Amino acid sequence: MTDNLASNSSTAGKRLNKYISESGFCSRRGADKLIETNRVTINGKLPELGTKVQPDDEVKVDGKLISASAKNKSDRIYIAYNKPIGITCTSEAHVRGNIIDAIGHKERIFPIGRLDKPSEGLIFLTSDGDIVNKILRAENAHDKEYIVTVDKPISERFVERMSRGVPILGTITKPCIVRVKSRFVFSIILTQGLNRQIRRMCEYLDYEVKALKRERIMNVKLGNLKSGQWRDLTPAEMDEINQAVSGSRKTATETVVKAKKTYSDLIK
């Protein structure tokens, strides 16, 4: 077993946060928080962020042994869930109405991304923490389609401005596809996931969202899945998802920095 955790960080092996996320315990971001709060040990010692795990190392979280993931990920869970309004997309057990309790899956899973509590529709959950980062990274430009109901008739100007992009949260939203469904209803296809993005975009244009439902993520559609129901993603769906994220290289931080620079250039 490795005795020097400091030197361990520069040798061959798997990064600790990746090791934990691949085990299905949590996402990489969640693993970083566990490491920072001294809840993780390697061979009985507290590691640093960036420490690498060697094949014979013993990794524990809160004293519980964490096992390495199967190389083919055959032990991983991937599901699609039709989240009802009122359910909160968190794995924190103390939060009333959290998504984990709502699903009641027998395995440890966590959501990929989120849907606001007042929103409904499709969301993925998994026990594969490594795939979370890849799907959420903005540069991968994964389509997400929503059906939105607003409080007043939809104008041509509204469609044009929404499609082109509006300034929210210190950036300009990326161009997107907006289609009018009826007088008060439109569909929108986004390739980014800013906090409460659609609601903020509508608010900027003086519209209020009355209902919001996510119908599709990438190649997976909500289909006939009823509110509150979930299903396993099919092998064909997972093949397409894995192909779509296979080229992921940039980090989320790099993407945010570029977006802020673009915003600064536009408002000069």
Side-chain angles (χ1 to χ4, degrees):
M1 291 188 179
T2 305
D3 293 323
N4 190 335
L5 293 184
S7 63
N8 191 19
S9 63
S10 61
T11 60
K14 184 173 292 185
R15 287 178 67 90
L16 180 55
N17 61 354
K18 182 177 175 66
Y19 180 91
I20 295 173
S21 70
E22 285 185 349
S23 77
F25 192 87
C26 62
S27 67
R28 284 199 203 183
R29 182 178 295 180
D32 285 338
K33 290 180 180 178
L34 293 174
I35 298 165
E36 290 170 349
T37 53
N38 297 327
R39 294 173 60 187
V40 180
T41 60
I42 299 180
N43 309 325
K45 299 180 180 180
L46 294 175
E48 300 174 355
L49 284 172
T51 297
K52 291 185 178 180
V53 179
Q54 306 303 318
D56 57 349
D57 282 343
E58 186 178 76
V59 178
K60 292 184 177 181
V61 175
D62 295 333
K64 179 181 177 181
L65 185 65
I66 300 298
S67 300
S69 169
K71 287 188 176 181
N72 63 0
K73 295 193 175 183
S74 58
D75 56 343
R76 298 282 74 91
I77 306 296
Y78 307 93
I79 72 172
Y81 174 55
N82 187 349
K83 186 192 89 69
I85 293 171
I87 297 299
T88 303
C89 290
T90 180
S91 55
E92 297 292 336
H94 68 274
V95 177
R96 186 175 181 180
N98 71 77
I99 195 170
I100 305 304
D101 287 347
I103 293 174
H105 200 283
K106 63 181 181 180
E107 301 292 340
R108 184 188 183 97
I109 57 174
F110 38 87
I112 301 179
R114 65 189 306 275
L115 268 175
D116 293 336
K117 188 174 180 179
S119 303
E120 60 182 324
L122 183 62
I123 186 168
F124 296 157
L125 293 97
T126 184
S127 62
D128 179 4
D130 195 46
I131 203 172
V132 175
N133 270 10
K134 294 178 180 179
I135 290 178
L136 295 182
R137 283 175 184 167
E139 84 279 1
N140 287 335
H142 304 311
D143 284 359
K144 296 180 290 292
E145 185 170 0
Y146 303 79
I147 303 297
V148 186
T149 303
V150 289
D151 63 335
K152 57 187 178 183
I154 298 166
S155 66
E156 289 184 11
R157 177 183 178 277
F158 173 83
V159 173
E160 191 273 331
R161 290 297 308 276
M162 289 284 285
S163 301
R164 190 177 65 197
V166 297
I168 62 170
L169 298 174
T171 188
I172 302 292
T173 58
K174 292 182 179 180
C176 58
I177 299 172
V178 178
R179 298 188 180 98
V180 177
K181 307 283 287 185
S182 65
R183 196 177 181 207
F184 295 89
V185 180
F186 67 93
S187 67
I188 182 169
I189 300 175
L190 300 179
T191 56
Q192 63 184 147
L194 302 176
N195 181 255
R196 298 181 69 249
Q197 179 170 344
I198 296 173
R199 296 179 189 275
R200 291 180 189 273
M201 290 172 73
C202 289
E203 286 169 7
Y204 180 82
L205 298 172
D206 200 27
Y207 280 73
E208 180 184 350
V209 172
K210 307 301 289 186
L212 192 156
K213 185 174 186 178
R214 185 153 64 195
E215 293 278 333
R216 177 175 63 85
I217 302 173
M218 302 167 71
N219 59 307
V220 181
K221 296 181 179 179
L222 195 58
N224 296 322
L225 199 62
K226 295 180 180 179
S227 181
Q229 290 185 337
W230 64 268
R231 66 171 178 83
D232 292 313
L233 293 176
T234 67
E237 288 170 336
M238 284 308 306
D239 283 345
E240 286 194 46
I241 290 171
N242 283 320
Q243 287 178 23
V245 302
S246 62
S248 178
R249 288 292 181 272
K250 299 176 185 176
T251 64
T253 301
E254 289 172 335
T255 303
V256 170
V257 169
K258 286 186 176 181
K260 287 186 175 180
K261 184 179 186 301
T262 300
Y263 177 75
S264 298
D265 291 343
L266 284 170
I267 61 176
K268 281 180 180 177

